[in-house]
Amino acid sequence: MTDDGRTPAVTAFLPTTDQDVPNPMNAPRLALLSLVLLLLTGSAMAQSMPVPSPPSLGAPSYILLDFESGNVLVEREADTPREPASLVKLMTAFVAFNELEEGHLQLDEKVMISETAWRMGGSKMFVEVGKQVAVEDLLRGIIIQSGNDASVAIAEHIAGNEQTFAQLMNNHAEEIGMYNTNFTNSTGWPDEAQTTTARDMALLAAAMIRNFPESYQYYSEREFTYNDITQGNRNLLLTRDSSVDGLKTGHTSSAGYNLVSSAKRDDMRLVSVVMGTDGPRDRADQSQALFNYGFRFFRSYALYEGNTELASPKLWKGASDTIPVGLERTLYVTIPQREYENLDANMRIDSPVIAPVSRGDKLGEVTVKLDGEVIMEAPLIALEDGDTGGFFGSLVDEVLLFFQ
């Protein structure tokens, strides 16, 4: 949100370029592409629905973004470092899920509870020292009960000790792009060196949902019973709003009340982060307000499917005449309601494309504009290898290129 309270222009996390090369596409697909672009831009007189200012929230730091596109719909002080409290456990679980994915950990694997884990204060799963607990139970204890004891137990089991585990956490944070975050423990226990931002937590939540869709279901569970003790999930939105299916609360006296949450309505998923609110109901109410605003006034659209040929420019000096290009993944944009007809999409392909070319090489760019303003850019890549052709053909192309 801008200083004057207006909704900021929609921004994205996709890479951009400042190159300006004429589009050399001359393949037969150009007609089909032109038709698609005509449909996107054909109604210049389309009536727009004004987007009001986002709700005024009491949280000092918050963000609302679309899961598929990464477009930010609302933000305030989203890059200001703050104490995460138990939001840290999102990364604790993320590391564990990654170990499960790679086969280094099993859900039914037993974990010996150390005295260090057992003695942890704050919220607890109530594991007992010297007992063995299944990994899946510990994960539920971390996610649903926010158990500090469970977090330390899983950290020690995976990495030997909590300090080494924190290094794994930071490695994953860097891969995700959480550049303003530093983890020092697995629980969120107060530490001046342990900070994060609302934006980084939103990135982590999106990575959690995208990378581990099957494990993500734990975040929607409302209660968990262990050792004959039943504890409810502290995310109040799970009982208020059926579209909400995660993620994690956090609280200390110095951090305030934090909440990372996600909701899906129809085919649109939003991620919300509020940090530093005054109470558990405040964080739920303010997150709900963000969701209601986002779903009411914005829509997400898939413009181009990933790994699908969008054009086939000439491949100079190649074994084949052309090279198929497309996007690595499906390109989504999130825009105000009723603005779809005002989108303008175009492709630029770097010229000339000269063999050899490797699959994944960047060969151009797709740019999407709304009312003349760029809202999304994504690289066009080679969808297959383009090998070098024979000597004679390469020589002919060399001569032709000289006269280009």
Side-chain angles (χ1 to χ4, degrees):
M1 184 171 63
T2 58
D3 291 339
D4 60 0
R6 294 180 291 106
T7 305
V10 179
T11 57
F13 298 131
L14 290 175
T16 61
T17 180
D18 57 2
Q19 293 178 326
D20 185 16
V21 181
N23 189 339
M25 292 187 296
N26 56 10
R29 290 177 185 79
L30 184 56
L32 177 60
L33 177 63
S34 298
L35 177 60
V36 173
L37 299 183
L38 180 62
L39 292 175
L40 288 174
T41 60
S43 179
M45 301 302 292
Q47 182 179 4
S48 299
M49 180 174 67
V51 177
S53 299
S56 178
L57 305 183
S61 181
Y62 53 84
I63 192 169
L64 177 70
L65 61 83
D66 179 81
F67 167 72
E68 294 289 2
S69 67
N71 292 141
V72 176
L73 308 184
V74 184
E75 64 177 292
R76 175 185 180 187
E77 299 293 335
D79 296 311
T80 299
R82 298 194 62 86
E83 182 184 336
S86 284
L87 298 187
V88 164
K89 295 184 177 81
L90 279 174
M91 181 57 82
T92 302
F94 188 95
V95 174
F97 291 152
N98 186 74
E99 295 295 303
L100 287 165
E101 189 85 4
E102 294 185 352
H104 303 318
L105 198 65
Q106 303 297 322
L107 287 175
D108 59 357
E109 189 172 328
K110 299 297 184 181
V111 176
M112 179 67 70
I113 304 302
S114 70
E115 184 172 350
T116 301
W118 173 70
R119 286 187 178 278
M120 282 300 301
S123 54
K124 300 171 71 71
M125 177 183 171
F126 297 104
V127 293
E128 299 177 61
V129 65
K131 295 291 182 67
Q132 291 189 328
V133 182
V135 166
E136 186 169 24
D137 285 338
L138 288 175
L139 285 171
R140 283 194 164 96
I142 293 167
I143 294 168
I144 303 167
Q145 300 176 335
S146 198
N148 292 330
D149 48 0
S151 299
V152 173
I154 203 77
E156 292 177 338
H157 185 71
I158 291 174
N161 59 55
E162 202 174 5
Q163 291 71 33
T164 304
F165 186 80
Q167 295 177 34
L168 292 178
M169 298 169 73
N170 286 318
N171 290 342
H172 283 288
E174 185 174 357
E175 292 173 356
I176 293 170
M178 301 171 64
Y179 301 128
N180 294 311
T181 294
N182 182 59
F183 294 112
T184 62
N185 59 55
S186 64
T187 63
W189 200 261
D191 184 336
E192 291 184 358
Q194 184 160 251
T195 60
T196 191
T197 66
R199 192 184 312 278
D200 280 1
M201 278 294 145
L203 292 176
L204 175 55
M208 176 75 76
I209 298 167
R210 181 175 294 110
N211 293 4
F212 311 113
E214 294 183 1
S215 298
Y216 178 64
Q217 65 182 340
Y218 292 118
Y219 285 96
S220 63
E221 296 183 13
R222 298 183 183 181
E223 64 178 25
F224 176 55
T225 301
Y226 180 80
N227 206 12
D228 294 327
I229 301 172
T230 300
Q231 297 185 66
N233 196 315
R234 295 172 175 83
N235 184 356
L236 298 180
L237 291 183
L238 291 176
T239 57
R240 288 188 187 179
D241 186 342
S242 61
S243 70
V244 175
D245 53 15
L247 296 159
K248 189 73 186 72
T249 61
H251 167 254
T252 66
S253 58
S254 52
Y257 289 83
N258 303 334
L259 176 59
V260 178
S261 51
S262 181
K264 185 175 183 180
R265 300 180 189 175
D266 297 324
D267 58 351
M268 184 176 180
R269 176 180 288 279
L270 298 178
V271 174
S272 165
V273 180
V274 297
M275 303 186 72
T277 68
D278 294 331
R281 290 192 175 277
D282 292 322
R283 66 188 175 192
D285 291 345
Q286 293 177 40
S287 299
Q288 185 76 73
L290 288 175
F291 284 138
N292 290 344
Y293 175 79
F295 285 119
R296 174 66 181 87
F297 295 106
F298 293 87
R299 286 289 305 278
S300 183
Y301 298 95
L303 296 188
Y304 298 106
E305 187 175 346
N307 201 33
T308 299
E309 182 177 333
L310 297 180
S312 54
K314 178 176 177 55
L315 180 63
W316 296 89
K317 301 184 181 181
S320 59
D321 292 333
T322 61
I323 182 79
V325 299
L327 300 170
E328 182 178 7
R329 61 189 181 94
T330 301
L331 177 63
Y332 290 85
V333 294
T334 307
I335 58 176
Q337 295 269 15
R338 302 181 186 177
E339 289 282 2
Y340 182 78
E341 291 81 2
N342 297 322
L343 284 173
D344 177 21
N346 63 79
M347 292 193 296
R348 171 187 58 77
I349 297 180
D350 300 332
S351 180
V353 180
I354 303 175
V357 173
S358 297
R359 177 182 174 86
D361 284 352
K362 181 179 180 296
L363 300 180
E365 193 168 58
V366 171
T367 301
V368 182
K369 296 181 180 181
L370 179 62
D371 294 329
E373 181 179 354
V374 175
I375 62 169
M376 184 69 74
E377 293 175 312
L380 281 170
I381 62 171
L383 297 179
E384 60 184 42
D385 294 334
D387 297 327
T388 303
F391 174 77
F392 181 75
S394 295
L395 182 61
V396 171
D397 279 356
E398 181 71 34
V399 174
L400 293 174
L401 279 169
F402 179 78
F403 292 100
Q404 290 294 307

